[in-house]
Amino acid sequence: MLVLLFLIFLFGLIIGSFLNVVIFRLGTKKSALKGRSFCPHCKHTLAWYDLIPVLSFVFLKGQCRYCAKKISWQYPLVEIATGLLFLQTFVFVNFVRHAEFISASSVVDFGSATEMTTLIIQCGLLLAVGSLLIIIFVYDLKHYLIPDKIIFPAIAIAFLYRISLQSTVYGLRPSVGAKLLTLTTFYPLFAAFGAATFFLLLVLITRGKGMGIGDIKLAFLMGLLLSWPQITTALFIAFLSGGLIGLALILTRKKKLKSMVPFGPFLASGTIIALFWGEKIINWYWKILL
Ligand SMILES: [Zn+2]
């Protein structure tokens, strides 16, 4: 079990290293899949042993082997974040319990095999959308921009995730019917259009000084992925953390009151927290309230 978790984390690190390449090459005409990686400072082509996730950074003490220029902390941090995302997704989808359940039933059940396939698909979709959220986090932080090349595929993946959830629910219990249609179709659409409208109003009121069009698209993605009521948790976390960090930056005079702090990173992290722990947070909140 531990070996399996370690392998999943390792796989996440490798994907994280690829995400760094995507972030670096976005907006340039280079493909993320073609061409060797090089040092952005001295342009020296990097050897395979310079590209081992996290370890290369540690052994090189955060410096380029060829020109000794500092390597950005972004590289190991994105790799570790992606590794953790992969671990958490695997735990979240709860593969192991399902696998045990399936092997425990002595009769080979066609239904449970289909269920397992759906779980694998859902896991893949969550990993993909999570990875895109990490890209959005870093890219918006660096460039104050959420690229369409990332946000549109993410929305498409969130849409597929919704469909896959629906097929699990219908496949298992077709008798429950209309109530589930509301839960699986109406709620996510309501959350997506609701959140997008909310951000559209914010953009109009602040005249685009606070939020941008990218934030509206991101809000739509969040609603679709998280549905109602988890979307409120994500937005609450985003506004709270954004406000606190913005305030801290102003107090320490790193930013002026009127200067821009990108909101995408807060939305992206709020989404990931609400995706995995949203229900727990809402339950806990109600317990305090009642
Ligand atoms: Zn260099």
Side-chain angles (χ1 to χ4, degrees), residues 162-215:
R162 275 292 142 203
I163 294 172
S164 81
L165 279 183
Q166 199 168 21
S167 70
T168 335
V169 172
Y170 276 117
L172 293 176
R173 303 169 203 89
S175 56
V176 196
K179 222 178 192 175
L180 284 170
L181 189 69
T182 322
L183 216 69
T184 54
T185 311
F186 178 69
Y187 276 20
L189 287 176
F190 167 72
F193 282 105
T197 312
F198 176 63
F199 273 81
L200 176 66
L201 290 176
L202 278 180
V203 171
L204 291 176
I205 291 166
T206 59
R207 290 179 190 175
K209 273 177 193 156
M211 311 276 171
I213 307 290
D215 294 308

Side-chain angles (χ1 to χ4, degrees), residues 39-44 46 64-69:
C39 165
H41 185 68
C42 66
K43 312 278 187 264
H44 198 293
L46 300 177
C64 171
R65 186 191 300 276
Y66 311 98
C67 68
K69 180 92 178 167

Side-chain angles (χ1 to χ4, degrees), residues 4-278:
L4 182 65
L5 289 177
F6 180 73
L7 285 175
I8 289 164
F9 181 69
L10 215 62
F11 184 54
L13 288 182
I14 294 165
I15 298 294
S17 159
F18 175 67
L19 296 185
N20 275 320
V21 177
V22 174
I23 292 164
F24 182 70
R25 296 190 181 177
L26 257 178
T28 69
K29 281 182 181 163
K30 281 200 196 88
S31 154
L33 294 169
K34 279 179 249 163
R36 302 283 307 266
S37 292
F38 56 87
C39 165
H41 185 68
C42 66
K43 312 278 187 264
H44 198 293
T45 306
L46 300 177
W48 64 268
Y49 47 80
D50 297 324
L51 296 168
I52 304 164
V54 186
L55 289 181
S56 287
F57 185 85
V58 174
F59 284 127
L60 293 169
K61 299 191 185 86
Q63 289 177 327
C64 171
R65 186 191 300 276
Y66 311 98
C67 68
K69 180 92 178 167
K70 269 190 185 159
I71 303 169
S72 166
W73 274 96
Q74 177 205 318
Y75 292 92
L77 287 181
V78 165
E79 283 155 6
I80 292 170
T82 314
L84 292 176
L85 169 81
F86 274 52
L87 265 187
Q88 175 57 28
T89 306
F90 186 80
V91 174
F92 179 74
V93 176
N94 218 340
F95 267 122
V96 178
R97 212 186 67 195
H98 281 277
E100 276 168 1
F101 179 76
I102 289 168
S103 63
S105 53
S106 50
V107 192
V108 178
D109 186 353
F110 180 70
S112 54
T114 326
E115 194 187 349
M116 200 64 191
T117 316
T118 319
L119 276 183
I120 293 168
I121 293 170
Q122 278 170 12
C123 192
L125 292 171
L126 281 178
L127 289 177
V129 82
S131 301
L132 293 175
L133 281 168
I134 290 177
I135 294 178
I136 289 171
F137 183 106
V138 180
Y139 200 82
D140 196 26
L141 194 66
K142 284 172 82 176
H143 305 286
Y144 299 90
L145 186 80
I146 299 172
D148 283 346
K149 265 185 199 167
I150 302 298
I151 192 80
F152 288 139
I155 289 172
I157 293 165
F159 192 68
L160 289 176
Y161 178 64
R162 275 292 142 203
I163 294 172
S164 81
L165 279 183
Q166 199 168 21
S167 70
T168 335
V169 172
Y170 276 117
L172 293 176
R173 303 169 203 89
S175 56
V176 196
K179 222 178 192 175
L180 284 170
L181 189 69
T182 322
L183 216 69
T184 54
T185 311
F186 178 69
Y187 276 20
L189 287 176
F190 167 72
F193 282 105
T197 312
F198 176 63
F199 273 81
L200 176 66
L201 290 176
L202 278 180
V203 171
L204 291 176
I205 291 166
T206 59
R207 290 179 190 175
K209 273 177 193 156
M211 311 276 171
I213 307 290
D215 294 308
I216 302 175
K217 294 174 199 159
L218 181 51
F220 186 85
L221 163 71
M222 291 167 71
L224 198 59
L225 184 67
L226 298 170
S227 186
W228 178 268
Q230 278 87 337
I231 178 71
T232 55
T233 316
L235 292 178
F236 179 75
I237 294 167
F239 278 101
L240 186 71
S241 57
L244 287 176
I245 290 175
L247 193 68
L249 287 175
I250 290 164
L251 288 177
T252 56
R253 304 202 176 166
K254 289 216 167 118
K255 295 260 174 193
K256 286 191 187 128
L257 197 57
K258 278 187 179 169
S259 71
M260 231 165 52
V261 179
F263 200 53
F266 299 106
L267 288 173
S269 31
T271 309
I272 288 182
I273 294 170
L275 181 66
F276 293 130
W277 299 283

